[in-house]
């Protein structure tokens, strides 16, 4: 029995059947094909299908979906608000403010319709008569090199700007038409206009009408007058053609604006009287400027925020929806304009005071001097905002004067007599060293200009809240536009004696007390076969014998610090320093004297943690970050404080804030260190601050060379720190000391700030015992009480439970000591000056 085999595609029976069926269809169509009408209809249909296929392949294939515009979000700048909630800075490559359709005045919308697309509300994306005119104009200009007029509707312009780009070709025009038709089926007319008015480029780096309104008239759109609206309406055709700064552009702008006003009247949107009054008005634009925030202080602070935002969210739109330059973020910061101004002024004045008499340090930059020198100068972004100083380019120089120019195109004269500072590299006059193209700093001197010098020495300063870690002010150099290097957060410097409070904190945690006696005497340590023996010394090489820990901190005694670190164990000391966020060091004794490296920001934060009873703080330049819709996106676990802003008490429980950081130091130890460091202000190395007459603690620092001078300290609420030094470390001069240079800068910055704050004392944590002791011997005193005299023998000292001194001293013994000290002071002229006397006046030098 044979098996049935299935027929395959190639079997004769199947092929025969296909030929037979095909033949049947052709047999039926053959009579119809013989008819001329049918034949022409078939050819026409085939041609149309082929044309449609070619049209789709050439124009429509790959076009973006118009529905994506429903979710389109234009790039928006990031805005920073200060501690008071006021906008103070923006990060933007496209200046734009997004508004809703209802926010635009109807007359402004009509101005744009008159200038760009008067039949916008009638057509379905394409203006056929306008398009036909554009085609004819294009054909007439083929081969001439001239660009044909647009003929695009507002819908087509939105398609071009947002979906397909600005290529100049007939192909792009056809694609515009296709997308415009699709858009009209997806979006309402109002939505299309909203996209258009928020997106278009109108010159002066302004994208969108609101940004342009601010750039040209310093007004919001709701406040614009009719002629101002008409001027903004003509800008989409080519902002460069109507620049009000140029005489030609100004003339063109008036002519085109008046044409737009006529078009508005012809369409019945304004009366003839309104048209004539608007035509008679001047252009009325303000001077060009890049941003309303440009002249605000805080350059280093704002740059630090920018760096942290980029690290968190990315820089460009491709990096995510919340990028710095496109995401439209709102940043609330603890930046305080008053504190920042005081900080910047004090540091700058201190740098200038130190640098005076050292000569001219040279030009701050260089450009090519040609016909476009003003553009090159503006593009260099080199600037300075100190007391009327300006950056100028040397255009030409003769033996008696130099012609200088500024970024706005204006020029002036710099007489040779006003540039006679000695040039540091040659010793000759600065004027002789100048050459065309040099960028110099000048200030007005009558009708001419005089040379000014940017200090070569630099430094950094930070002001931080002790309870939250919020940074109120930050200055990282003389001017961020001269150098963006932030010495407050990026410069790694040796802290010198400002590290000593943390060395003694380790000692206090390991059995010592503020009254412990430490020998101020020679100390040598064997460091191994490779390093040999290391001997430490005080500044003058002398010593003062056994003294209390407090005296050692107040007088910044190096030998006492090293001995305390050695007795405590350097492994414990460096562990404390690391826990406080200062740095991660090896357990070598030199680190107890500030040989490691750290930043001003870290040191200030560590001191703030001392004032915060040893609780951990994180330095903050941002409180929170919101996206463009107002949702808080950083920090992750941020929660609003419900009821904090009520105008009146609602009878419910008051909001309570818990501690954020963990306890990183025994609170009693932290208070003991702060209490000891108060003595640095009262009778130690920073007595220049004593006349502020308020509770303050702090420590001076001076490093070997000396290459850096420091002061860090503050009140129970604010801590600030400052250092001075050259970017490439070298000696500041033998007279440079923290108490002489850094502490006065700190005082100039903080005195105006602290003046408006209550005089609150440092509060001791639970468990601390306050005991009267003799300041020099450390013995407990009975029968005598501390006075307001900073050099009184009897003082209050802070002890942990069961650690106060057991030995005592009577009142009459204290009085005898005082008389002996007074007699010694009276004969001080006949007594040789000792190391203790010298260190009384200066910061710790190792």
């Amino acid at each position: 029995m044979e098996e049935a085999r299935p027929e395959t595609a190639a079997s004769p029976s199947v092929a025969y059947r296909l030929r037979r069926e095909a033949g049947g269809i052709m047999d039926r169509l053959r009579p119809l094909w013989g008819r001329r009408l049918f034949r022409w209809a078939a050819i026409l249909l085939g041609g149309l299908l082929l044309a449609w296929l070619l049209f789709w392949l050439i124009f429509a294939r790959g076009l973006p979906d118009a529905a994506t515009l429903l979710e389109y979000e234009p790039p928006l700048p990031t805005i920073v608000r200060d501690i008071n909630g006021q906008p103070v800075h923006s990060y933007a490559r496209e200046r734009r403010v997004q508004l809703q359709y209802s926010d635009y005045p109807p007359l402004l919308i009509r101005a744009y319709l008159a200038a760009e697309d008067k039949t916008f509300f009638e057509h379905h994306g394409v203006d056929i008569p306008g398009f036909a005119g554009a085609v004819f104009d294009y054909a007439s200009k083929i081969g001439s090199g001239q660009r044909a007029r647009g003929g695009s509707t507002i819908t087509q312009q939105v398609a071009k700007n947002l979906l397909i780009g600005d290529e100049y070709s007939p192909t792009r025009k056809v694609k515009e038409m296709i997308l415009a038709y699709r858009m009209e089926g997806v979006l309402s007319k109002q939505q299309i206009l909203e996209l258009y008015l928020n997106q278009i480029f109108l010159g002066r780096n302004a994208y969108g009408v609101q940004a342009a309104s601010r750039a040209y008239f310093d007004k919001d759109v709701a406040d614009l007058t009719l002629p101002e609206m008409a001027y903004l309406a003509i800008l989409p055709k080519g902002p460069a053609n109507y620049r009000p700064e140029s005489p030609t552009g100004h003339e063109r702008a008036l002519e085109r604006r008046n044409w737009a006003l006529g078009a508005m009247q012809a369409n019945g949107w304004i009366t003839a009287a309104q048209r004539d009054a608007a035509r008679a008005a001047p252009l009325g634009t303000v001077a060009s400027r890049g941003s309303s925030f440009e002249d605000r202080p805080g350059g280093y602070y704002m740059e630090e925020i920018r760096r942290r935002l980029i690290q968190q969210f990315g820089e460009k739109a491709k990096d995510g929806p919340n990028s710095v330059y496109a995401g439209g973020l709102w940043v609330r910061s603890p930046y305080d304009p008053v504190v920042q101004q005081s900080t910047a002024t004090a540091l700058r004045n201190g740098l200038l005071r130190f640098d005076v008499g050292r000569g001219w340090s040279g030009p701050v930059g260089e450009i090519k001097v040609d016909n476009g020198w003003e553009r090159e100068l503006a593009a260099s972004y080199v600037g300075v905002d100190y007391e009327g100083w300006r950056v100028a380019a040397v255009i030409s120089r003769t033996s008696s004067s130099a012609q200088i120019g500024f970024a706005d195109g204006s020029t002036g004269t710099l007489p040779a007599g006003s540039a006679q500072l000695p040039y540091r590299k040659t010793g000759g006059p600065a004027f002789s060293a100048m050459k065309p193209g040099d960028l110099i700093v000048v200030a007005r001197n009558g009708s001419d200009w005089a040379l000014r010098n940017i200090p070569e020495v630099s430094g950094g300063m930070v002001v931080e809240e002790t309870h939250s870690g919020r940074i109120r002010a930050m200055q990282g150099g003389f001017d961020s536009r001269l150098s963006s290097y932030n010495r407050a957060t990026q410069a790694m410097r040796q802290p010198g004696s400002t590290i000593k409070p943390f060395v003694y904190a380790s000692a206090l945690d390991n059995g010592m007390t503020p009254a412990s006696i430490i020998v101020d005497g020679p100390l040598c340590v064997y460091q191994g076969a490779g390093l040999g023996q290391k001997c430490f010394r005080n500044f003058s090489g002398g010593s003062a014998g056994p003294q209390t820990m407090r005296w050692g901190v107040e007088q910044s005694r190096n030998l006492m610090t090293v001995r305390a670190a050695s007795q405590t164990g350097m492994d414990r000391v460096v562990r404390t320093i690391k826990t406080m966020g200062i740095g991660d060091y090896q357990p070598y004794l030199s680190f107890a004297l500030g040989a490691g490296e750290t930043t001003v920001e870290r040191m200030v934060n560590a001191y703030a943690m001392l004032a915060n009873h040893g609780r951990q703080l994180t330095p903050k330049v941002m409180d929170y970050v919101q996206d463009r819709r107002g949702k808080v996106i950083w920090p992750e676990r941020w929660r609003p404080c419900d009821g904090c802003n009520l105008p009146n008490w609602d009878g419910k429980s008051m909001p309570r804030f818990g501690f954020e950081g963990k306890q990183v130091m025994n609170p009693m130890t932290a208070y003991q260190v702060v209490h000891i460091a108060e003595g640095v202000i009262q009778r130690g190395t920073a007595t220049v601050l004593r006349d502020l007459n308020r509770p303050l603690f702090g420590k001076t620092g001076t490093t070997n060379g000396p290459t850096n001078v420091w002061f860090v300290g503050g009140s129970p609420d604010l801590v600030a720190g400052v250092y001075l030094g050259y970017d490439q470390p070298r000696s500041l001069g033998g007279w440079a000391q923290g108490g002489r240079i850094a502490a006065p800068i700190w005082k100039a910055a903080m005195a105006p700030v602290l003046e408006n704050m209550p005089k609150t004392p440092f509060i001791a944590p639970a468990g601390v015992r306050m005991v009267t002791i003799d300041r020099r011997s450390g013995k407990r005193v009975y029968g005598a009480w501390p006075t307001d005299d900073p050099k009184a023998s009897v003082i209050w000292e802070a002890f942990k439970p069961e650690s106060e001194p057991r030995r005592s001293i009577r009142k009459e013994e204290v009085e005898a000591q005082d008389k002996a000290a007074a007699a010694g002071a009276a004969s001080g002229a006949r007594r040789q000056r000792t190391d203790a006397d010298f260190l009384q006046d200066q910061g710790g030098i190792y």
Side-chain angles (χ1 to χ4, degrees):
M1 179 176 171
E2 295 183 359
E3 294 183 359
R5 290 180 293 178
E7 294 182 357
T8 64
S11 63
S13 60
V14 173
Y16 171 74
R17 186 166 64 251
L18 290 174
R19 287 195 300 271
R20 184 183 62 186
E21 291 176 356
I25 295 173
M26 293 302 298
D27 289 342
R28 287 194 292 269
L29 291 177
R30 191 172 291 112
L32 295 174
W33 187 258
R35 299 178 182 178
R36 179 181 301 177
L37 182 60
F38 179 82
R39 187 166 61 249
W40 281 105
I43 293 173
L44 179 61
L45 179 61
L48 290 174
L49 290 173
L50 179 61
W52 180 86
L53 178 62
L54 291 174
F55 181 84
W56 181 83
L57 288 173
I58 297 173
F59 300 109
R61 185 180 62 166
L63 285 180
D65 188 356
T68 59
L69 295 178
L70 288 171
E71 300 178 357
Y72 173 75
E73 293 181 336
L76 294 178
T78 291
I79 307 296
V80 180
R81 295 182 183 272
D82 65 12
I83 194 170
N84 303 310
Q86 297 300 313
V88 291
H89 195 80
S90 69
Y91 309 107
R93 294 197 174 105
E94 296 181 2
R95 301 287 177 190
R96 178 183 284 108
V97 179
Q98 187 176 11
L99 300 181
Q100 296 181 348
Y101 177 80
S102 58
D103 296 324
Y104 291 102
L107 198 58
L108 176 65
I109 294 173
R110 288 168 181 162
Y112 274 93
L113 295 182
E116 293 291 316
D117 189 359
K118 64 180 180 181
T119 62
F120 173 77
F121 283 100
E122 284 75 45
H123 62 66
H124 194 72
V126 179
D127 180 12
I128 300 302
F131 177 72
V135 170
F136 177 79
D137 189 51
Y138 178 82
S140 65
K141 291 179 178 176
I142 292 178
S144 66
Q146 298 179 351
R147 184 161 182 157
R149 67 182 178 88
S152 295
T153 64
I154 285 178
T155 311
Q156 288 175 263
Q157 292 183 53
V158 173
K160 174 188 69 176
N161 293 334
L162 301 184
L163 298 176
I164 61 176
D166 195 20
E167 177 192 4
Y168 179 63
S169 69
T171 302
R172 192 257 295 167
K173 280 292 182 185
V174 176
K175 292 179 179 180
E176 273 184 19
M177 295 172 62
I178 297 171
L179 284 173
Y181 183 81
R182 292 178 180 177
M183 286 170 55
E184 294 275 354
V186 174
L187 304 174
S188 68
K189 292 286 188 179
Q190 289 76 15
Q191 287 174 315
I192 294 171
L193 270 176
E194 182 179 309
L195 287 172
Y196 175 77
L197 296 173
N198 283 328
Q199 182 69 27
I200 49 174
F201 175 64
L202 299 172
R204 291 191 176 181
N205 198 31
Y207 291 77
V209 179
Q210 169 63 18
S213 179
R214 276 289 172 188
Y216 287 99
F217 300 106
D218 197 23
K219 295 180 179 180
D220 293 323
V221 290
D223 301 322
L224 292 172
T225 63
L226 175 58
E228 292 169 347
M229 294 177 182
Y231 172 74
L232 294 180
I234 68 172
L235 294 177
K237 284 286 190 280
N241 297 328
Y242 309 114
R243 294 177 61 233
E245 300 87 0
S246 163
T248 304
H250 189 274
E251 184 179 349
R252 289 176 180 170
L254 282 174
E255 181 181 353
R256 185 69 178 175
R257 182 202 69 176
N258 292 342
W259 168 86
L261 290 167
M264 293 181 72
Q265 190 272 329
N267 285 307
W269 293 332
I270 60 174
T271 64
Q274 288 177 301
R275 176 202 62 195
D276 295 339
R279 282 179 172 177
L283 213 53
T285 57
V286 298
S288 177
R289 54 182 178 167
S291 167
S292 60
F293 307 116
E294 276 189 356
D295 297 331
R296 305 288 180 92
Y300 288 103
Y301 196 116
M302 297 305 153
E303 177 61 18
E304 186 64 25
I305 292 179
R306 189 187 76 91
R307 275 196 287 263
R308 299 190 188 189
L309 285 173
I310 289 176
Q311 183 179 6
Q312 183 74 29
F313 301 107
E315 180 178 1
K316 302 177 182 178
K318 66 179 182 180
D319 298 323
N322 298 315
S323 63
V324 174
Y325 287 100
L329 304 178
W330 289 89
V331 181
R332 184 63 178 263
S333 79
Y335 170 82
D336 189 324
V338 175
V339 181
Q340 176 65 38
Q341 184 61 42
S342 181
T343 300
T345 301
L347 180 59
R348 286 172 162 183
N349 290 343
L351 296 175
L352 289 169
R353 190 165 54 246
F354 180 89
D355 196 69
V356 68
R358 286 175 166 78
W360 187 51
S361 56
V364 297
E366 189 175 348
I367 63 171
K368 294 180 180 179
V369 178
D370 51 24
N371 292 332
W373 62 264
E374 63 268 29
R375 290 192 299 273
E376 282 208 36
L377 178 55
S380 71
Y381 295 106
V382 177
V384 63
D385 62 357
Y386 180 78
E387 294 187 355
W389 292 12
R390 297 181 67 182
V391 171
V394 178
I395 302 173
S396 62
R397 184 175 69 89
T398 66
S399 60
S400 60
S401 65
Q403 185 186 21
I404 58 175
F406 303 97
D408 59 6
S410 62
T411 60
T413 301
L414 175 66
S418 297
Q420 291 300 303
L421 290 172
Y423 186 29
R424 295 183 188 182
K425 293 183 178 180
T426 64
F431 186 81
S432 300
M434 294 178 188
K435 63 183 185 301
D438 284 347
L439 301 184
I440 60 175
V441 178
V442 296
R444 177 66 73 177
N445 184 23
S447 60
D448 294 326
W449 296 86
L451 182 67
R452 293 291 182 264
N453 182 58
I454 298 299
E456 191 175 2
V457 69
S458 197
M461 187 168 185
V462 172
V463 182
E464 180 178 325
E465 294 179 1
T466 61
H467 307 297
S468 62
R470 302 168 78 216
I471 293 178
R472 299 273 289 274
M474 176 187 295
Q475 187 71 13
F478 191 84
D479 197 299
S480 62
R481 286 177 291 183
L482 295 172
S483 170
S484 61
Y485 180 57
N486 190 342
R487 295 156 189 85
T489 60
Q490 295 175 298
M492 300 296 293
R493 313 294 294 201
Q494 292 180 333
S497 294
T498 57
I499 202 74
K500 291 179 180 177
F502 306 97
V503 177
Y504 287 108
S506 298
L508 290 168
D509 271 338
N510 288 276
M512 290 189 180
T513 74
S516 293
I517 300 299
I518 305 172
V519 176
D520 182 28
L523 178 66
C524 296
V525 178
Y526 181 70
Q527 302 180 102
L531 297 176
Q533 186 162 278
K534 168 70 174 178
C535 291
F536 297 90
R537 66 182 183 88
N538 289 321
F539 183 82
S540 65
S543 58
Q547 302 289 341
T548 63
M549 176 190 289
R550 167 178 284 279
W551 187 88
V553 176
E554 292 177 354
Q555 306 306 319
S556 198
R557 304 298 282 187
N558 297 332
L559 290 174
M560 294 179 67
T561 305
V562 173
R563 195 176 298 276
S566 180
Q567 293 176 5
T568 303
M570 274 305 296
D571 54 340
R572 293 188 177 98
V573 172
V574 296
R575 189 183 307 127
T576 298
I577 292 173
K578 181 179 179 180
T579 301
M580 299 300 284
I582 297 171
D584 189 1
Y585 306 140
Q586 296 297 314
Y588 302 139
L589 281 173
S590 59
F591 289 122
L593 297 176
E597 291 185 333
T598 188
T599 66
V600 180
E601 181 188 42
R602 294 182 191 176
M603 287 304 298
V604 169
N605 189 63
Y607 273 71
M609 285 193 277
L610 289 177
N612 196 35
H613 288 175
R615 190 171 289 277
Q616 188 179 49
L617 295 172
T618 301
K620 298 176 184 176
V621 294
M622 300 183 293
D623 291 331
Y624 56 85
V625 181
Q626 298 167 279
D627 65 14
R628 66 175 68 207
R629 295 178 182 82
K631 178 184 177 182
V632 175
I633 56 176
W634 183 90
E636 294 181 357
R637 294 183 294 275
W638 183 88
R639 292 186 302 170
C641 179
D642 296 328
C644 285
N645 294 323
L646 290 175
N648 297 299
W649 183 44
D650 59 0
K652 299 180 181 179
S653 299
M654 298 293 287
R656 293 289 185 268
F657 294 91
F659 295 110
E660 294 184 4
K662 62 183 179 180
Q663 196 75 42
V664 293
M665 181 182 285
N666 185 320
M668 290 187 286
T669 299
Y671 178 76
Q672 285 179 303
V673 173
V674 170
H675 189 60
I676 292 172
E678 286 186 86
V680 175
I681 311 297
Q682 293 302 313
R683 53 193 164 265
T685 59
T687 54
V688 67
L689 305 177
R690 191 167 63 199
D691 61 3
L692 292 178
N693 193 28
R694 63 186 308 119
L696 293 174
F697 81 111
K699 186 70 187 73
T700 56
T702 309
T703 62
N704 268 350
T707 56
N708 304 287
V709 290
W710 289 74
F711 180 79
V712 185
S715 71
D717 300 308
L718 285 180
V719 165
V722 58
Y723 95 89
L724 262 72
Y726 292 103
D727 288 343
Q728 298 297 324
R730 67 177 192 266
S731 176
L732 295 168
W735 62 276
Q737 300 159 11
R740 181 177 290 172
I741 298 175
I745 293 175
W746 190 99
K747 181 179 183 180
M750 298 302 294
V753 176
L754 295 173
E755 185 179 2
N756 299 318
M757 300 177 65
K759 295 181 180 181
T760 56
F762 292 95
I763 305 300
V768 168
R769 295 175 60 88
M770 302 302 295
V771 177
T772 55
I773 68 166
D774 175 55
R775 179 169 57 87
R776 294 302 301 269
S777 68
K779 294 181 180 180
R780 192 165 184 170
V781 176
Y782 292 95
W785 296 96
T787 67
D788 293 335
D789 181 6
K791 294 188 177 182
S793 297
V794 179
I795 63 170
W796 290 108
E797 193 59 273
F799 294 92
K800 295 174 183 175
E802 304 301 325
S803 69
E804 59 268 25
R806 301 302 178 190
R807 293 177 298 167
S808 64
I809 186 170
R810 297 190 304 276
K811 179 180 179 181
E812 50 269 26
E813 292 178 293
V814 173
E815 292 173 349
Q817 287 182 357
D818 288 344
K819 291 178 180 179
S827 60
R830 299 187 301 272
R831 184 170 55 87
Q832 184 179 2
R833 185 170 171 81
T834 66
D835 176 67
D837 297 323
F838 182 85
L839 289 179
Q840 178 78 17
D841 302 324
Q842 56 88 46
I845 300 179
Y846 64 87

